[in-house]
Amino acid sequence: MFPYFYYNTILKRKYSEFIALSSLYMVGFVEVIKTFLLPVKFILHWFCVFTLIFFLQLFLFWTDSFIPGKGMLFDFAVSHFVYILFTSFPSSVIGTIVIFILRQKAYTENRLLSFLLLILTTCFIFFFGYINLNRAKKGRYPLITDRRIPFLSRHFHFLDDNLIYIEIVKNSSLRGIVIHERNNPPGLSFRESGEYISESSVLLMQPEGVAVEIPSESLFFPYLFGTEPFLGRFLEDVAFFNTDIQNLYNSSKRKFSLVILAGVLFSVSLRVFMRLTRWPVFNGIVIIFLFRLFFALYKIIQSELIIDISVSIFPVPRAFHLPAFFFFMVSLVFIAWDFLLAPGRSSSRSGRESLKR
Amino acid sequence: MNDFFKKALLVLLIFYLLSFAFFFLISILTFPSVSYLDIYFWRWVWDNSLHNFIDKIIPVHTTALLLLFSFTIYKVKISSIIIFFLLFTFFYTFLTEGIEPSILKRQHERAYSTELARKELENAEKALKEGRLEEASEYIFRYLHIDAENAEAKRIKEEIDKRMGKAPERDMQSITERFAKKEGYSAEDMTAIAKEYFENEDFLSAHYYATLALRLDETNQEAKRIASAAWKEIESFNESRKDERAKELFRRKKEGQTALLAGNPVKAYYIFNSLKDEYPEDPDIETFYALSLNKVQEVAFFTEEITTLEPLPGYNNIIFASKEEKYSEVFLIEKMISSQRGTFFFNIEVIGIDEEGGLAYHIRAPYGKLLHNSISIRCIHTNDPSESITPVSLAGKGEEVVRYIFSMPLTPDQIKDFRQTTFDDYNSKSILELLDLGKTLTVHGFQGEPALLAAVLRIVAPFTFILFSVLSMAAGIRGRSRGGLPHPISFFFLPGFPVIIYFILILYNYLLRIISGFLLFLTGFGITLFILIILNALMLSLPLRVIFEEGRL
């Protein structure tokens, strides 16, 4: 009787409690393990984003310097790999953070841990990537110059606002050149011959001896990859950010570190917006908007007007830390909101969880 | 119609109507009066609203689906989803391929008409100010041809008419005109006219007016004297010149015939045209006149054809190269107008290059006409050769310094495609036109890839529409609102959704353009299209996986 009673009342109950407690610990353990897997996930995400941006930049570079009928110079493009990597790198890290936040289905239990891990991983990628890219840039991969003749017989060539038609292209010498200056009507003028000097990328036209500088971009497709203003401004802002980060790395490692840290902190702190409302679509749209705003603000803060104002308020060395300072301050507000004020898991369950309830 | 269809159609219809109303309002407020005449206001507003609606339909559609799947529909059949997306993709394709190109064409034409009309009005005002009434009248006529109801133009026309009406009327021409209108004339007036003609040795007219004067007043001695003297002159003229005239007629007929046979139809035309007036009964002249006129129209055109066309809108800044047997030619055309009478060019410039790359000829002409497989730049006057507008030779060497006719394998539609446009201007063309343009550009000095790239992107556009539709469905389901509606203030920001989605869309299109451009250069049109379709299918599988995972299908 007793053992049966013991089993039925005390042991069974304790066993069930034990199972329940063990399950809870297991769940917690799995959450911790999951959190520690976060850097791995992030690096995989970054790798995908970076590869995509890198290849798009490479394609753009290739097509921009494409000469019809003369194929693609793979050596030429390969020699520019490091430079293309530089233009893809900073924005790819910031972009990955945003994509990563948007893809997070449920908010992890270990908010602080995941927050710290994300910042550490991002900073690691940034600093490690930059140091190695700069090493690679220093003479390991010499740039190959495209020495091909950028003209074709019986073709028009776009040169700034002008059009140049060439009848015969024989090596570097050209014959029968018709020029149409769009802004200088009435339109057509003729030059008997010309000589392309590939060392200096100059077209020397006879008989007057007029020299025209030939750009490295293709002379055949000037408007193929033009963007509308809405997108153009975004791409300009991103390009500004990428260039500025590189300049900071070359001029001052301290400034570079501060700006990187501020940028990473700002991007990671955006995750608080995933709990802004109970409607994740809305939250996602807000985060994309803030991502766009980040690049715009970065450029605005670096504008002459803002620098002048900051110089009049702060001492000169500190005034130039304004972007880092600004993004630090905004990030701190977001972080405080995230850890102190924003609601917990109730608004962040997955769709399936919510549906089951 | 099942529940899903009803809800989806209702939500989409509301969003479509709201967005169209928004663009309509924006168009009313932002009408660019600098670029368009007031008469185009409503037409421009309508077309611009429609253009913006079509251009931004994906963000609007996506926002509607996001809302739909975030709040209302939880589980739908896959067949319903497929039919739903296919229907809207057909609708989207109809809008982008059937409506959009014609809207853009109309807007371009209106902008051009406005520019032209304003120039005419400016010229009319200037000419009026400087007292050149005939010219002012011509300019204002052209302006009113475009904008007939403009008050300012009407006022200028009235002023011109008024001032032209006040001009001195006592000259000979005005008297004869009034006579032709049968206004009150005295015998003295008629005698004065007759005397004038007699002094100018126009004895036939002098006799005619003197006779009319005598009919009014039989006692008018002066009229009698002029009539008699004029008749005597006519008689003596007939007698003395009878043989000479026959000889002269024969000589001129022979000259005309020789010119025609020698391949100079313009000279032949002028000879027979003048003979036709002098000898209207001569059957030889009539035959040779018709023959020479036909031949002239094969190599030249008349000033009358072109002057009335000038106020019409056309296509500007056309440049292309062409290869004929001996020379390569570069054409620059300031304006091209196509009408029922034919295709005409204004300010045309041609450079001919020989096989060695040397300059053969450089010619500029104010007018040109597209004839059968050729362009003529010889613009002749109907009656007076001295009034003909001839081309100017700017440079050249050899026999071909001046040419009047150039071989032209292009059709008018193909020629106008050589305007210097931007990539976005290809939106006003259909896919088939773009494919054809790709080939034509290559033959005439340009690269065909931009047109082919535009065609590829247009073919892929419906896939983008489906992709964004499915993506929005997946995002809507996965990002479904937890526990009811969010705070009402969230809906205040709803208009921002299409803006952000539009940003994502143009970024996606830009990336697609880069990939397509690269593939096009590397592999050609067919393979690029194949790869892009595969790529789109792969991308489509990602949101579909999400939808299946969430158990909505």
Side-chain angles (χ1 to χ4, degrees), chain B residues 279-317:
Chain B
Y279 305 96
E281 304 294 321
D282 191 321
D284 285 351
I285 294 169
E286 202 175 321
T287 311
F288 277 107
Y289 170 75
L291 205 60
S292 61
L293 182 63
N294 277 340
K295 290 282 178 195
V296 159
Q297 285 170 339
E298 287 173 15
V299 294
F301 55 99
F302 295 102
T303 47
E304 287 81 355
E305 289 181 81
I306 211 147
T307 45
T308 51
L309 282 175
E310 260 188 314
L312 299 176
Y315 301 96
N316 288 7
N317 204 17

Side-chain angles (χ1 to χ4, degrees), chain B residues 85 96 205 287 306 410 436 446 463 483 528:
Chain B
F85 283 145
T96 51
S205 301
T287 311
I306 211 147
L410 295 167
D436 184 49
F446 291 94
F463 291 95
T528 302

Side-chain angles (χ1 to χ4, degrees), chain A residues 156 167 175 224 349 352, chain B residues 328 356 445 482 513 549:
Chain A
F156 285 96
E167 178 66 13
R175 284 198 59 80
L224 207 56
R349 275 179 224 110
R352 196 181 295 164
Chain B
S328 287
E356 302 296 314
R482 322 295 188 213
R513 197 199 290 187
E549 260 183 17

Side-chain angles (χ1 to χ4, degrees), chain B residues 116-270:
Chain B
L116 197 76
R118 288 193 173 146
K119 207 173 163 186
E120 299 290 7
L121 193 65
E122 190 187 310
N123 286 340
E125 280 172 336
K126 198 177 168 191
L128 181 65
K129 213 172 179 181
E130 290 167 6
R132 293 178 279 118
L133 298 179
E134 288 288 339
E135 276 183 47
S137 172
E138 185 72 17
Y139 289 132
I140 209 70
F141 164 77
R142 287 175 191 169
Y143 180 89
L144 289 168
H145 184 84
I146 297 167
D147 183 7
E149 297 303 315
N150 186 285
E152 174 68 8
K154 277 181 176 174
R155 187 194 61 75
I156 292 171
K157 189 182 183 303
E158 274 170 22
E159 197 178 330
I160 293 167
D161 289 347
K162 202 172 154 190
R163 282 173 64 175
M164 284 177 97
K166 279 181 183 173
E169 293 176 2
R170 291 302 299 168
D171 58 307
M172 192 56 65
Q173 199 183 348
S174 61
I175 292 169
T176 51
E177 276 171 8
R178 279 169 61 196
F179 176 73
K181 287 176 192 166
K182 297 188 187 302
E183 285 173 15
Y185 268 102
S186 63
E188 282 72 31
D189 283 340
M190 294 295 168
T191 311
I193 296 166
K195 194 176 178 185
E196 188 78 24
Y197 278 122
F198 190 86
E199 280 167 9
N200 289 331
E201 296 187 0
D202 186 349
F203 303 115
L204 272 170
S205 301
H207 181 260
Y208 176 68
Y209 283 107
T211 312
L212 287 176
L214 284 170
R215 279 183 194 166
L216 290 170
D217 181 13
E218 284 180 8
T219 60
N220 189 323
Q221 293 302 313
E222 181 68 3
K224 266 186 194 172
R225 190 190 63 76
I226 292 168
S228 162
W231 186 247
K232 269 183 193 170
E233 286 292 339
I234 291 163
E235 284 295 318
S236 64
F237 179 82
N238 284 346
E239 283 299 315
S240 62
R241 306 260 175 112
K242 205 173 182 178
D243 292 339
E244 274 181 37
R245 285 192 70 197
K247 276 182 196 171
E248 176 63 14
L249 174 62
F250 178 72
R251 190 190 62 76
R252 285 173 70 188
K253 275 186 189 174
K254 200 179 167 190
E255 192 186 358
Q257 194 191 28
T258 312
L260 203 58
L261 289 170
N264 193 348
V266 176
K267 188 181 174 186
Y269 165 78
Y270 280 124

Side-chain angles (χ1 to χ4, degrees), chain B residues 82-133:
Chain B
I82 290 170
I83 292 167
F84 175 77
F85 283 145
L86 281 179
L87 275 176
F88 274 90
T89 307
F90 282 130
F91 175 62
Y92 171 77
T93 311
F94 166 72
L95 288 177
T96 51
E97 293 305 316
I99 308 280
E100 175 87 336
S102 57
I103 290 174
L104 293 173
K105 272 179 196 164
R106 285 202 297 270
Q107 296 288 57
H108 286 154
E109 281 171 7
R110 279 173 203 146
Y112 179 72
S113 290
T114 303
E115 193 186 341
L116 197 76
R118 288 193 173 146
K119 207 173 163 186
E120 299 290 7
L121 193 65
E122 190 187 310
N123 286 340
E125 280 172 336
K126 198 177 168 191
L128 181 65
K129 213 172 179 181
E130 290 167 6
R132 293 178 279 118
L133 298 179

